[in-house]
Each structure stands twice: as C-alpha cells, then as structure tokens.
Amino acid sequence: MVHHSPTESEPNRDRRAIPSVSTIIERWRVGGGRDVAPAIVTQTIQRVLSEIRATIGESDVPSHDAIVARVNERLALLNTPRLTPVINATGVLLHTNLGRAPVSPATAEAMRLTAASPVALEIEPDTGQRGGRMDEISRLMRELTGAESTLVVNNNAAAVLLVLAALAPEREVIVARGQAVEIGGGFRIPDVLQQSGATMVEVGTANRTYASDYKSAVSASTAAILMVHTSNFRIEGFVSEPHLEEIVAVGRAANVPVLEDLGSGSILSPRDFGLGGERTIGESIAAGVAIVTASGDKLLGGPQAGLICGSAAFVSRIERHPLARAVRAGKVTLAGVAETLRHYVRGEATSTVPVWRMIGAPVADLEQRARTLCGRLQIAEGVAVVRPTKSTVGGGSLPGETQESWGIALDIGHPDDVARVLRLGSPAVYARINEHRLVLDLRSVLPEEDDKLCRAITVAIGPQR
Ligand SMILES: *Cc1c(COP(=O)(O)O)cnc(C)c1O
C-alpha cells in the first residue's frame, strides 16, 4: 500500500499520514517560527499531533500548513499577555471583573520602580536596624483616619479572616442577622467566621436589629461584635439598625471590641459628592471601633490590598498571628498604597485618584465629552447618539446608588456582536447593553482616554455600517 502526505485536495484518514514532530518543526521554522523556547515548541507540536491522532476516525489529517497554523495559534496564546489595558465604558467605576480601581500615574510609577529594584522594606535607613514594613503606611493612615496602627494584607477578604482568626478563635462573635451576608465570589460572613475558628452568634432579624439585641447576646465567651457593610445589596422599608455609637457603647460596657468590615474603606466622604451614607474609615475609628478592615482597590483608589487599622494593641496581636505572614502584602503593593495615601495627604485626591476623578466629574463635562466624541466618530450618520445615562460606583460600594452620567448609545443590529468586536479590539473597550443598544458610559472613562475610545469605536463599527 502506498501512502503519501495529505494535501488540501486529498483528504486522508490514515494514521500513517500524521506527520512526525520533526517534519512539523521544519515547516514551522520555514514559516518564520515565533519567539518561543524550542522545548515549548516541541511540546506544543506533540500535543497538537496527539489531538489529531485521537480524532483520526472522525476527521481528516489536516495539511502540514494547517497543523503549523494550529501550533502557532497555541504559541501566540502563550506568548501574548492577557492583562493589557482596556477601556472601561461600562459605567461601573469599580468593576471587579475589570480589576477594580485603576491607580494614579504617580502610584503606578511608584509600583513600577519598587518592583524593579531592591527597596528598604524592613530596614531603618537611619540606624541600619531592622524596621517594620508597615511603618510608612501606619504613619499615613494615622494622619488620615486617626487609626493608631495599620497592617496591610493581600485583600480585604484576607483582612477579615486574619482579624477573626487572631482575635476570636474558639470564642463567640456577635453579628446582626441582616449582616451575615455573602459579599460575592463565595465570600460569606458565616463561612469566614467558621474558617477563622470563631462561633457566630446571630442577633436581631433580617431587617431589624437593636442595640438591646447585641446587649443580651454578650456573654463570657464573646470575643467581639462584628459589623459588616452589606456591600452589594440594600434592604428598604421597615428597616432598623442601631447607631454605631450605641453598639460601641454596648461593647465598652462588656469590655468587648467592636470590629467593622467596612468593605470600601473610604478616606473621603461620598456624601460630599452627593452619594449616600457610606461611613469613612475615620468616622468608624472616631466612633470607637477597635478594628476596621477595608479594601485597597475600592473607594481608596489604590492597588488590591486589605487594610487592617485601629487600636495599636489589637493590630499588634493580629500581626503576631501565624496567618499574618501568609497573607501579608508585598513591597509593590505597599508602595502603591502609600503613594495613593499621599494623594490624600496632599489634599489632591479628587484631581489625581482616578476613582475620585470619576465620581467628581461634573455632569456637564461628561455631556460635553460625549458630544465631542460623538462628533468625531467616523461612522455612518445616526448610528451613534449622545444620551444621558446612570453610572454606579460598583465593587460593592454604595449599593443602589447611581450618578447622573452621559454616554454614547450605538443603535446597531446586533449589539452583542459589536460588543464582542470592541472587547477584542486594540485597545479593548468594555461597554454595556441597555435596551438593545450598546452604551458607552463616559463617567468610568478618564478624559485622557477619549481619543483612544474614539478610534476603537470607529474601527469596530466601520464607516460602512
Ligand atoms: C469587597 C468586600 C470584601 C472583600 O474585599 P476584597 O478586597 O475583594 O477581598 C469584604 N467585605 C466587604 C464588606 C466588601 O465590600
């Protein structure tokens, strides 16, 4: 029996028609092979050939060129970064799936420099003695929030887990029933409490809790009262929660610390921007909360991190727990958080920290930008219209709160298809679909990205459509 290598015109289901690895390597080289280590190329070819072998009964052996194309596709996937900048035109300012808060250019630069170089992370430059890696951030947070001491960990989920593991093992933690919530991504307060080794004691009802409920739940085995910001939902109507001060008073009387998972952990008050009553870290500390935990990449506007701040005595107990080492923040994160905090120290946060620039953008500016951008799009007449929208802060901050915004609505046949083209474009753009229209909301886009956004839309829609 004669056999020869298959060509496009000559299908072949003969196992012997599968080329050898070296044949494909040769062909791959001739085709101007990519910049990938030889061992990875060989492995990829082996994998592709064995896939062909496995499906030989059902499909033809592809041509050598088709095999090389498949290999190159895999190699390109390995060799192309996924995490490159995208434009967030969803109108959700802190979009968890898009990595939450973008940091300021100064913060990004501080993180870049720290990553690429040794830094005095745990050495006091003055004395050459060992120093604390949290000292700088503690100092900044003390000024900004009144917290005596701060510890920075991987994220807020780690912060909550660590605080409970350190302060409440094998003891009881009192939580209002309405706050025993799931934050998202499987982060459920009852489960976290269980993981930490604490026992949850629920008080009140789903909608109403009184200071007296906390008072009667306190016992000799109570380690703490835990308050949780109900990040992503809001109960409306017949609802009651005691004031934080009342709960702190209950704790004081029983010598039980009040811990608060604030979630967002803002330095600035959202109320000053017409947004609802989210407590700042400073307000919680001032009310007498012993330990506040918060995210670095929500309303703080920094990199992913978890901040544990409050009483020095408690923070130092938390710092000594074995889990602290497992979840502590690295030098790049610490540099990023510190640089972000310095924007607040300089009183320039609303003009430098991206999330606050977005929150603070006047509606009239957003409308103006939408009109300018729309006028510059090189697409068919009438496809893009400027219109008012509603943006949200997102990321579990300020649930139910929206801000007036402006955007561009694209009236096209298949918004899903265009949304995909925009996501795969360069730069990629993430939009939202509202009433069968693709909407690009400008509040979550910084003005310096407008040019790029304009080009991306023009390319995705094309002048002919
Ligand atoms: C967002 C949030 C968390 C989780 O914070 P991460 O930084 O994402 O780990 C925990 N608790 C509350 C109340 C939150 O809002």
Side-chain angles (χ1 to χ4, degrees):
M1 196 165 82
V2 181
H3 92 266
H4 42 89
S5 72
T7 63
E8 301 293 0
S9 58
E10 203 179 343
N12 199 324
R13 298 198 167 184
D14 188 339
R15 182 173 291 274
R16 285 168 302 177
I18 297 175
S20 68
V21 172
S22 57
T23 306
I24 296 300
I25 288 183
E26 268 319 300
R27 184 67 68 102
W28 178 80
R29 282 222 187 87
V30 171
R34 283 159 197 275
D35 199 9
V36 177
I40 303 285
V41 176
T42 309
Q43 241 162 257
T44 305
I45 293 173
Q46 282 165 342
R47 202 164 297 138
V48 167
L49 291 178
S50 74
E51 284 165 16
I52 293 169
R53 211 167 290 125
T55 56
I56 192 110
E58 305 141 38
S59 48
D60 295 332
V61 174
S63 71
H64 293 183
D65 285 343
I67 296 173
V68 168
R70 210 185 283 184
V71 167
N72 275 334
E73 224 171 82
R74 304 281 171 93
L75 294 178
L77 207 57
L78 286 177
N79 212 9
T80 315
R82 156 90 175 264
L83 302 183
T84 53
V86 306
I87 295 177
N88 172 12
T90 61
V92 181
L93 313 192
L94 297 172
H95 201 300
T96 297
N97 297 347
L98 296 178
R100 294 207 187 131
V103 300
S104 73
T107 298
E109 180 61 4
M111 294 174 79
R112 189 185 70 79
L113 290 171
T114 309
S117 168
V119 294
L121 183 62
E122 292 183 348
I123 298 176
E124 263 321 317
D126 195 24
T127 58
Q129 301 292 305
R130 202 190 153 110
R133 65 164 64 202
M134 303 296 167
D135 291 356
E136 181 187 12
I137 289 175
S138 263
R139 193 157 45 235
L140 289 161
M141 286 291 283
R142 203 174 302 135
E143 288 308 320
L144 293 168
T145 68
E148 284 175 356
S149 189
T150 298
L151 175 65
V152 186
V153 295
N154 179 61
N155 57 12
N156 188 28
V160 177
L161 180 64
L162 172 61
V163 166
L164 293 170
L167 301 184
E170 283 157 44
R171 296 185 60 205
E172 293 175 0
V173 173
I174 302 172
V175 183
R177 213 158 245 120
Q179 296 181 356
V181 295
E182 173 174 322
I183 309 296
F187 186 81
R188 292 176 153 191
I189 291 298
D191 298 345
V192 175
L193 270 157
Q194 198 190 7
Q195 272 302 315
S196 74
T199 305
M200 179 168 79
V201 175
E202 281 184 277
V203 297
T205 61
N207 56 333
R208 297 202 135 206
T209 310
Y210 304 97
S212 56
D213 294 326
Y214 286 96
K215 197 170 174 184
S216 47
V218 174
S219 74
S221 27
T222 305
I225 293 172
L226 173 66
M227 307 279 294
V228 182
H229 183 275
T230 53
S231 293
N232 41 15
F233 78 101
R234 193 160 70 174
I235 303 180
E236 290 189 27
F238 190 60
V239 182
S240 168
E241 234 181 59
H243 285 293
L244 186 57
E245 286 79 1
E246 294 178 73
I247 300 174
V248 169
V250 170
R252 285 241 166 87
N255 199 20
V256 164
V258 174
L259 316 174
E260 186 174 30
D261 175 13
L262 255 188
S264 247
S266 188
I267 305 277
L268 301 180
S269 177
R271 280 189 301 272
D272 297 341
F273 297 79
L275 288 163
E278 180 120 1
R279 261 197 296 276
T280 64
I281 298 176
E283 284 165 351
S284 288
I285 298 288
V289 171
I291 290 289
V292 172
T293 69
S295 290
D297 54 359
K298 292 184 182 173
L299 287 175
L300 201 75
Q304 179 190 305
L307 277 71
I308 298 171
C309 47
S311 125
F314 283 120
V315 171
S316 104
R317 250 173 84 188
I318 294 163
E319 228 161 2
R320 289 195 304 268
H321 189 276
L323 252 186
R325 174 59 199 263
V327 298
R328 76 177 178 192
K331 62 174 183 172
V332 177
T333 300
L334 294 173
V337 171
E339 202 57 32
T340 303
L341 293 176
R342 264 189 287 278
H343 287 309
Y344 294 93
V345 166
R346 297 186 193 118
E348 62 184 22
T350 51
S351 60
T352 53
V353 176
V355 66
W356 288 102
R357 290 180 59 198
M358 292 171 186
I359 289 174
V363 185
D365 288 7
L366 298 173
E367 180 180 1
Q368 186 53 52
R369 283 171 54 202
R371 295 199 183 284
T372 306
L373 220 161
C374 198
R376 286 174 44 216
L377 291 175
Q378 287 158 24
I379 60 176
E381 195 76 20
V383 169
V385 292
V386 168
R387 72 166 194 195
T389 58
K390 291 210 186 298
S391 59
T392 58
V393 174
S397 317
L398 305 154
E401 296 274 342
T402 59
Q403 283 187 289
E404 300 294 326
S405 179
W406 280 81
I408 293 167
L410 298 174
D411 197 2
I412 30 180
H414 299 281
D416 291 309
D417 293 347
V418 181
R420 180 168 179 275
V421 173
L422 282 170
R423 286 196 305 271
L424 295 174
S426 175
V429 177
Y430 286 76
R432 70 168 186 264
I433 293 174
N434 250 7
E435 295 156 9
H436 307 293
R437 278 178 163 191
L438 196 69
V439 176
L440 300 134
D441 193 310
L442 288 186
R443 192 179 285 283
S444 54
V445 179
L446 292 172
E448 54 267 34
E449 297 174 308
D450 283 359
D451 278 351
K452 274 190 286 179
L453 179 58
C454 180
R455 258 178 282 132
I457 300 170
T458 300
V459 170
I461 310 286
Q464 67 277 26
R465 273 199 238 191

